[in-house]
Amino acid sequence: MEYWFKQPEVIRKIASHYATNMPMPETMIKRVYAMLNEFEALHTVEQISYSMFDLTINSSTEEKPDIEGIHRELSKEVGLLDYGDVSVCPAVVTDRYAGRRCSKYYGHLWAKVFAADLFKSRFLKDGIDNAQTWMEYRKT
């Protein structure tokens, strides 16, 4: 689970210097923990924009939808960059929507919601090292 490894107590257990095997200093653990959460909001907004773009172009009834226009409008709508006259959409379309990741962003966002809810309601509540909770998770 992605939330498990981000916990400072887990970082303390698994992180050590490769040569000396000394544990990671507490100040560094705090910086790592802060860094892991720093860009979560931007990443989520990006995922929302990808989801909206994907759902929009794949539900279009137009024979040739204005891919670049749709991308520009949705980017502005969710608060990402206003690209102005720069054309960045074809690179985005090629990488993310050319059959490899189609329609996965929306599902991925919901999976993250369920994972966060499960982690907070069970693992943080019961303790992230609670063996019984892990076995119940494994059996479901």
Side-chain angles (χ1 to χ4, degrees):
M1 294 183 60
E2 70 178 275
Y3 297 100
W4 178 78
F5 90 90
K6 292 180 179 181
Q7 301 307 302
E9 55 267 39
V10 173
I11 296 171
R12 279 185 204 96
K13 290 179 182 180
I14 64 173
S16 61
H17 191 276
Y18 78 99
T20 65
N21 210 25
M22 293 292 294
M24 183 182 280
E26 197 62 31
T27 55
M28 190 178 290
I29 289 173
K30 288 178 181 174
R31 287 197 319 254
V32 167
Y33 183 71
M35 183 268 318
L36 287 170
N37 296 305
E38 189 168 335
F39 293 106
E40 188 65 30
L42 177 60
H43 179 69
T44 301
V45 169
E46 285 177 328
Q47 294 295 306
I48 290 169
S49 75
Y50 299 153
S51 298
M52 291 172 64
F53 182 72
D54 182 50
L55 291 169
T56 302
I57 64 171
N58 285 297
S59 63
S60 175
T61 56
E62 297 177 30
E63 186 175 324
K64 291 185 177 183
D66 178 12
I67 302 284
E68 190 164 351
I70 292 168
H71 182 262
R72 285 179 190 282
E73 289 306 310
L74 289 174
S75 293
K76 286 184 216 174
E77 186 178 328
V78 298
L80 291 175
L81 297 173
D82 179 355
Y83 295 109
D85 293 333
V86 178
S87 178
V88 296
C89 187
V92 171
V93 172
T94 301
D95 177 46
R96 293 188 171 91
Y97 304 103
R100 292 193 298 261
R101 299 187 197 173
C102 216
S103 301
K104 294 180 183 173
Y105 287 103
Y106 186 75
H108 175 71
L109 283 173
W110 275 110
K112 285 186 71 134
V113 168
F114 291 134
D117 184 52
L118 173 66
F119 190 77
K120 185 176 180 182
S121 66
R122 289 300 309 273
F123 291 98
L124 285 182
K125 182 178 140 201
D126 298 345
I128 61 171
D129 289 332
N130 186 309
Q132 180 181 348
T133 303
W134 280 103
M135 286 308 293
E136 289 173 13
Y137 172 72
R138 183 177 172 193
K139 290 177 182 177
T140 7

